[in-house]
Amino acid sequence: MSFMPVNPRPMLQELVNNDIVVRLKWGETEYKGRLVSIDGYFNIQLTNAQEYIDQKFTSDLGQILIRCNNVLWIKRADKDDVKMEG
């Protein structure tokens, strides 16, 4: 079986103006918000961002920028993800 690398840029461009979840590399920290933009280095700009630690809501942050090297994974937010309450 061979592995075929896939360019993530098209998938991320499709997520612009959608709610996403961004998981950081350390701990259980996630940010949920609307993807405003993503640059050539994969830095992520979110609006209406919320911070969750260990799946518990910690704060509303508003507009944030997440540096690319801190990101473990990114996914489209499910309706259940956006409504998580702690």
Side-chain angles (χ1 to χ4, degrees):
M1 177 162 52
S2 65
F3 174 74
M4 177 63 90
V6 177
N7 182 354
R9 184 173 305 280
M11 185 270 303
L12 292 171
Q13 289 299 331
E14 287 178 14
L15 292 176
V16 172
N17 294 320
N18 287 289
D19 291 329
I20 65 167
V21 178
V22 179
R23 178 73 175 262
L24 299 187
K25 289 181 181 177
W26 55 85
E28 298 289 321
T29 305
E30 292 181 357
Y31 294 98
K32 296 174 175 65
R34 174 111 358 182
L35 180 60
V36 175
S37 67
I38 191 154
D39 69 9
Y41 295 101
F42 296 103
N43 294 310
I44 300 165
Q45 181 184 5
L46 296 179
T47 191
N48 300 326
Q50 298 177 320
E51 182 180 60
Y52 292 82
I53 298 175
D54 293 326
Q55 306 234 346
K56 294 182 181 109
F57 175 77
T58 57
S59 64
D60 283 315
L61 302 173
Q63 187 100 338
I64 64 170
L65 179 70
I66 302 172
R67 188 172 171 180
C68 58
N69 66 327
N70 297 315
V71 175
L72 180 62
W73 51 256
I74 302 167
K75 71 171 191 165
R76 182 183 305 268
D78 298 329
K79 292 177 186 173
D80 295 334
D81 289 333
V82 176
K83 294 181 182 175
M84 284 180 85
E85 296 296 327

